[in-house]
Amino acid sequence: MSRNLLILGAAPDLGELRDTLVRLEDTIIFALIERSQFKHNSDIYKAGKMHFKDGYRGSFVSWFLKEVEHVHAKVRRYNSPDEYPFTDNLPEPVLPPLEYPPVLVDPQNININDEIFNVYVNTVVPGITSDGDDKNYGSSATRDIECLQALSRRIHYGKFVAESKFQDPKTHDEYVRLIKEKNRDRLMELLTNTRVEELLLKRLKAKAIIYGQDLSAASLDANGNINNGCSLLATTASADASDERVKSRVNYDLVVSLYRDYVIPLTKEVEIEYLLHRLD
């Protein structure tokens, strides 16, 4: 279990961070499954499709996200160093501030939520939903916000990952030298662990297949146990070797590509930007 950020006295090690990131994988997969039950409902992402009494001119999702973040800001959600809003000009908290130990250097300076929002709306949503409009605008937007907030937290955790790597005595001097040289390419090489990334993608595919199973259709014995209970794991293990598609509530290949093409690269972008300002 990862340590509470309120009592964190130093940068967490990579093992502790891994526990948090693995749990966020679960959060993201389940959030995607929940969103996929509704149609695309593309009108909620288009500016000007809906009219708001407050004069707001953006999309319904953007308006709803703004309203939610205004409430969350009042209970100091975005005072936490691992939470980043999509909205500007948020109100001050009504609760007294909490004093977080200064683990990160200028933690709020880097925020790439605009990129995350664009990837989610233009790539993720069309990939996990069916075409059409079922009028479930509020429910769809609620699930969208859950997905966006989980993705943002996961990607911006790259700051903690970068700080942990920077503090590692084995590589600290090398990081300092490369930061002073502003050598982005070499920093990227140093912080990249290809083996860990490959294992992460395999784990994600297994989770997406298993979590996405519709067990209501499973055959149960008289005691309520799933017949051939090992079939889920067997299916997962053979997924790479077979062209047969596993029926799932979420496209598991899209989950993998989301991480491979966006979450991992964007996390690295956060890490690089953080490191380049680490010595400021």
Side-chain angles (χ1 to χ4, degrees), residues 14-85:
L14 291 178
E16 291 174 318
L17 287 170
R18 181 183 180 278
D19 292 341
T20 299
L21 298 181
V22 167
R23 288 200 304 276
L24 281 170
E25 292 170 10
D26 299 343
T27 300
I28 290 168
I29 292 172
F30 282 118
L32 293 173
I33 290 172
E34 287 298 308
R35 177 59 183 91
S36 68
Q37 67 182 302
F38 304 108
K39 298 287 188 179
H40 186 179
N41 295 327
S42 60
D43 281 356
I44 68 176
Y45 308 106
K46 297 175 182 177
K49 273 290 183 178
M50 300 182 189
H51 301 285
F52 304 95
K53 293 181 179 180
D54 60 4
Y56 185 76
R57 297 181 179 276
S59 68
F60 175 71
V61 166
S62 296
W63 174 84
F64 194 12
L65 182 59
K66 173 178 68 73
E67 294 296 309
V68 168
E69 292 196 331
H70 269 68
V71 174
H72 289 183
K74 291 180 180 179
V75 293
R76 67 189 177 203
R77 175 172 186 166
Y78 303 110
N79 287 37
S80 176
D82 63 339
E83 295 282 1
Y84 296 84

Side-chain angles (χ1 to χ4, degrees), residues 127-151:
I128 62 174
T129 59
S130 302
D131 290 336
D133 190 318
D134 59 16
K135 304 302 180 183
N136 284 302
Y137 297 158
S139 297
S140 298
T142 298
R143 302 310 181 196
D144 284 332
I145 291 171
E146 292 170 355
C147 289
L148 285 166
Q149 290 175 332
L151 286 167

Side-chain angles (χ1 to χ4, degrees), residues 17-18 20-28 82-84 112-113 116 147-161 196-197 200-201 203-204 259-260 262-268 270-271:
L17 287 170
R18 181 183 180 278
T20 299
L21 298 181
V22 167
R23 288 200 304 276
L24 281 170
E25 292 170 10
D26 299 343
T27 300
I28 290 168
D82 63 339
E83 295 282 1
Y84 296 84
I112 62 168
N113 276 341
I116 295 170
C147 289
L148 285 166
Q149 290 175 332
L151 286 167
S152 174
R153 189 161 182 255
R154 166 60 178 81
I155 289 168
H156 287 101
Y157 243 91
K159 297 182 183 182
F160 288 94
V161 175
V196 169
E197 291 177 9
L200 182 155
L201 295 177
R203 182 173 67 247
L204 272 172
Y259 261 73
R260 183 189 63 237
Y262 299 105
V263 173
I264 292 175
L266 287 175
T267 302
K268 289 181 179 180
V270 168
E271 291 183 48

Side-chain angles (χ1 to χ4, degrees), residues 211-276:
Y211 296 168
Q213 293 287 325
D214 182 4
L215 296 183
S216 64
S219 176
L220 304 178
D221 63 22
N223 297 319
N225 298 315
I226 300 175
N227 289 326
N228 300 320
C230 64
S231 60
L232 291 182
L233 294 179
T235 300
T236 302
S238 62
D240 287 329
S242 172
D243 291 331
E244 182 179 357
R245 305 303 298 169
V246 179
K247 185 177 181 181
S248 176
R249 291 175 293 170
V250 67
N251 184 333
Y252 51 83
D253 283 335
L254 184 138
V255 174
V256 173
S257 66
L258 168 63
Y259 261 73
R260 183 189 63 237
D261 300 335
Y262 299 105
V263 173
I264 292 175
L266 287 175
T267 302
K268 289 181 179 180
E269 179 181 329
V270 168
E271 291 183 48
I272 292 292
E273 290 302 319
Y274 177 83
L275 288 169
L276 288 173

